[in-house]
Amino acid sequence: MRIKIALALMSAIFMMYWALMLISYIRYSLITTLNLSFIDFINLMSIISFLGSVLFLVEARKVLPRWYLAVPLSISLFILVIVNFWVIFSGRELLSDHIGIAETLVMLFMALLSPFSALVFLSMNRHPDSMNAYLAVSSVASMLSMLLLFFTLSGLSHALSRGGPTFDAVVAFQAFYWLIVMPVIGICFLVRAITYRNSGIVLNPVTIGST
């Protein structure tokens, strides 16, 4: 049950844009009342996903032999939270006219979430169910994320040569990633959270005693 909860929580960062649009559609006043900026919302979703990844690691160690494959996602989420706070405390917006190092790091680590999510699905492969469908979807999403990251960094580099990088230079790539690629992975996490079943096998740590 806890792994189900962990998987659902881990989907938060991937579903952030859809969640933000849904909240804005249902009750926009809630966002204005809470005074949440876009980077604040990203950080909130990042924290939720990070806590979910920690819970997943704690529980997966008991039942999944390859639980360690989920470590990169947890680390990247932790770094993303730190960098998000950097952007927040700098007083700038992620979608501002000027993109600095912190904003670039946010986009970088968000892009890395896709391939690292594929490792999470790989850690659950055949324990007890096949993860071929999830691996296929997350692998395609990972390739797209790396391609979009390349275009994003190229766009920023080109904009820098003309005076200074702005979000306008990469908005198309990031919008496609946030609106299409990330939610697809988020849906995979949610579906897996619903369908996950414990194999019933509990792994015991190997204790090596002195002879």
Side-chain angles (χ1 to χ4, degrees), residues 11 15 28 30 34 38 45 48 52 81 91 97 115 120 127 141 166 184 194 201-202 205 209-210:
S11 72
M15 305 299 294
Y28 181 76
L30 178 62
L34 296 176
F38 184 59
M45 296 294 103
I48 293 174
V81 170
D97 293 335
V120 174
H127 289 280
T166 63
V184 168
I194 295 171
I201 300 175
V202 178
S210 58

Side-chain angles (χ1 to χ4, degrees), residues 117-132:
S117 67
L119 293 178
V120 174
F121 294 126
L122 183 60
S123 72
M124 294 185 286
N125 192 31
R126 304 195 183 283
H127 289 280
D129 303 316
S130 172
M131 299 293 293
N132 289 342

